[in-house]
Amino acid sequence: MSLAICPGSFDPITLGHLDIIRRASKIFDKVIVCIMYNATKTKPMFTIDERVEMVKKAVADYPNVEVDTYDGLLAEYAKRFDGAVLVKGMRATSDFEYEFQMNHINKKINPALETMFLAASEKYTFLSSSVVREMASYGADLTGFVPPEIMAEINEKAKLWKK
Ligand code: PNS
């Protein structure tokens, strides 16, 4: 059985993330969306538990997609699954340097681990969780940016969130 791990901080999940997860779910028998800590992102909007609930709502229609969390190294997490492949979206050359570095670090820790990049769909190349957090904090309309079923929750949280 082929298995993809889609890792990320998903703070919150965007339609760009969901597009990558959906496409991975067509290529692989099973996809695990793994919600993780990103040490460089110090001001989260949502707790890990809140993100899990939002991702679960967003992927509810994808039968071969599961949601998990891990608070250690991604390359260590992947060792639990024989032959698992990391799948990540690549939006633009600006993503490349970071992703290339992560790929090599992950391979140092887990040499068998392969990373596959899916080119982001054109309509989502500008989209990121940080853009969503910023827009939400100004009360902007998030239509077309985040899954509709979690939009109200993001707007509510943004009212309380201090940048
Ligand atoms: O959605 P993001 O924030 O770009 O995802 C980055 C993430 C969470 C996949 C990355 O920070 C990560 O792999 N975190 C887990 C810890 C780890 O393995 N770091 C890389 C080696 S230092």
Side-chain angles (χ1 to χ4, degrees), residues 96-112:
F96 181 79
E97 203 172 332
Y98 171 77
E99 294 297 351
F100 205 62
Q101 182 188 27
M102 284 301 128
N103 167 67
H104 289 304
I105 291 169
N106 287 334
K107 266 210 170 287
K108 271 252 179 287
I109 302 164
N110 180 354

Side-chain angles (χ1 to χ4, degrees), residues 54-101:
M54 287 192 291
V55 175
K56 280 186 175 168
K57 282 181 194 163
V59 302
D61 289 341
Y62 306 147
N64 62 336
V65 178
E66 290 178 11
V67 184
D68 199 3
T69 63
Y70 191 67
D71 64 1
L73 290 169
L74 173 57
E76 293 292 349
Y77 174 78
K79 285 180 184 170
R80 298 174 173 191
F81 312 98
D82 200 27
V85 173
L86 298 182
V87 173
K88 303 192 93 180
M90 182 78 77
R91 285 166 300 190
T93 47
S94 50
D95 280 345
F96 181 79
E97 203 172 332
Y98 171 77
E99 294 297 351
F100 205 62
Q101 182 188 27

Side-chain angles (χ1 to χ4, degrees), residues 2-4 21 24 28 31 40 48 51 53 57 61-62 67 85-87 96 108 117 121 126 129 138 142 146 156 161:
S2 61
L3 173 65
I21 293 164
F28 292 86
V31 175
T40 67
I48 295 285
R51 294 179 220 176
E53 288 314 307
K57 282 181 194 163
D61 289 341
Y62 306 147
V67 184
V85 173
L86 298 182
V87 173
F96 181 79
K108 271 252 179 287
F117 296 103
S121 298
F126 66 94
S129 296
Y138 290 106
L142 300 177
V146 299
E156 269 313 300
W161 186 62

